[in-house]
Amino acid sequence: MNQKNFPLVGSAVLLVLWFLNSQHAPDIDPRRPDGPDLYPAFSQSGDKPQAHCDAELFGSITGSVAAMLDYDGKLSDPRVDTGLQVDDLRRWARDYATQGASFKAKYPLLADEVKKYLDQHAGTSGGPLDDAKRAAWIKALREISANSHWAAGRLD
């Protein structure tokens, strides 16, 4: 990791923590938001209260990453300028927020559903991140976040 990424990692951690602390459970709309249906992945858990917490956390992480990408794109010299760096940001945010725990290990369907959705809506290129690609990533991550929070509300 080069030195250019150290401020990004620190900012990511702070933003995730702020986002997690600012979230309150909204009234759950009975209609599922646009995006992937994540309820089946979380509902397979035998521990519904933990699945609820994990779905909320996953939604907060993906929402935070979307917010970071949105902010970063408005900088005069964006720090995240390739698809590979988006993946790194997602991985770092998840790793720091979960302290290394794996959503994939607990919810195997979640990883498959999210990968499929991101591949279809944000693309698979690790190359340069132009405005259109950044916007696609932000939209896809926000939809994943909304669906994760929606799934959490259904696990109560």
Side-chain angles (χ1 to χ4, degrees), residues 19-67:
F19 193 83
L20 290 174
N21 288 329
S22 70
Q23 295 302 297
H24 302 286
D27 291 332
I28 300 301
D29 189 327
R31 297 164 296 175
R32 188 176 60 76
D34 290 339
D37 185 0
L38 302 180
Y39 178 76
F42 287 110
S43 67
Q44 287 192 322
S45 171
D47 185 351
K48 298 297 188 227
Q50 184 61 52
H52 169 93
C53 292
D54 290 342
E56 289 288 2
L57 177 60
F58 190 75
S60 294
I61 293 168
T62 54
S64 293
V65 173

Side-chain angles (χ1 to χ4, degrees), residues 85-142:
Q85 289 175 328
V86 173
D87 279 340
D88 285 344
L89 178 60
R90 290 175 47 229
R91 199 170 23 259
W92 291 333
R94 182 183 61 244
D95 193 48
Y96 289 127
T98 65
Q99 298 180 355
S102 170
F103 286 108
K104 185 177 182 175
K106 288 172 85 173
Y107 310 101
L109 295 177
L110 179 65
D112 295 339
E113 189 66 28
V114 168
K115 180 185 182 328
K116 180 174 74 172
Y117 191 77
L118 287 175
D119 287 354
Q120 290 174 350
H121 293 87
T124 59
S125 172
L129 193 64
D130 62 19
D131 290 343
K133 288 179 185 172
R134 181 182 298 272
W137 272 104
I138 292 167
K139 182 177 188 287
L141 288 165
R142 285 182 175 153

